Amino acid sequence: MDDLDDLYQEIILSHNKRPRNEGPLDPCDCQAEGYNPLCGDKIRVYVRAPGGCDGLIEAVSFTGEGCAISRASASIMTDAVKNRPRAEVDARIAEALHLLTSRDEPAGDLMTLGDLAALAGVRKFPPRVKCATLAWHTLESALKGEGSASTERE
Ligand code: ZN
């Protein structure tokens, strides 16, 4: 298991160093700001969905300041949901939040979950779980047109 932990840590560090899809989207169809007061992570999530946020989510990006876990999670999130229909995006959000907060062992083959699986390693550090869920809650808020999300308002 130690080797796996190292692998996950490596994935998180690499996303933090070279985040995917960082920077504002222009044009952007909906966006939201997320804040995790426990750690001070702040991110903004941008969504491009020309047909509306109920249709195809073409692209997702993020900007913000935060710890390595919050940034890696945002980077992994943008890659995991872009170019997918809304229903699939909702399913991925649910899958990620379950992975991050459930006490069960992750279902299915971890390797097929890809970088998303790396986030599951965070469950061993309960104070950091909200760093990892922030990007996903913020995406949810953007899609619902809520404008902002806080990990302390659940
Ligand atoms: Zn954090």
Side-chain angles (χ1 to χ4, degrees):
M1 263 324 264
D2 280 350
D3 288 350
L4 271 185
D5 285 348
D6 288 349
L7 174 69
Y8 296 157
Q9 206 166 10
E10 224 165 84
I11 292 171
I12 285 180
L13 290 177
S14 116
H15 273 278
N16 178 50
K17 228 174 173 178
R18 289 179 297 277
R20 324 285 196 272
N21 312 299
E22 189 179 27
L25 276 183
D26 183 23
C28 164
D29 297 288
C30 53
Q31 55 178 289
E33 202 165 53
Y35 180 45
N36 172 18
L38 291 183
C39 179
D41 309 315
K42 268 186 199 156
I43 70 163
R44 181 169 279 275
V45 169
Y46 305 81
V47 177
R48 182 179 299 152
C53 285
D54 287 335
L56 179 72
I57 307 303
E58 274 189 14
V60 178
S61 76
F62 78 99
T63 57
E65 297 295 324
C67 64
I69 291 174
S70 70
R71 289 173 55 78
S73 182
S75 171
I76 290 168
M77 179 274 286
T78 58
D79 253 0
V81 300
K82 69 178 177 195
N83 217 7
R84 286 171 190 274
R86 170 68 186 273
E88 260 181 53
V89 171
D90 283 346
R92 285 243 139 167
I93 294 173
E95 184 186 15
L97 291 177
H98 179 76
L99 204 59
L100 288 168
T101 55
S102 138
R103 287 165 186 276
D104 314 334
E105 279 304 304
D109 184 350
L110 271 182
M111 291 306 166
T112 66
L113 292 172
D115 288 359
L116 208 51
L119 293 178
V122 181
R123 295 185 306 177
K124 283 193 207 145
F125 310 98
R128 312 309 300 277
V129 165
K130 285 177 175 171
C131 302
T133 57
L134 178 64
W136 300 86
H137 284 305
T138 308
L139 172 65
E140 226 174 10
S141 293
L143 293 174
K144 286 181 183 161
E146 288 174 353
S148 71
S150 169
T151 55
E152 297 310 292
R153 199 192 61 200
E154 278 170 15

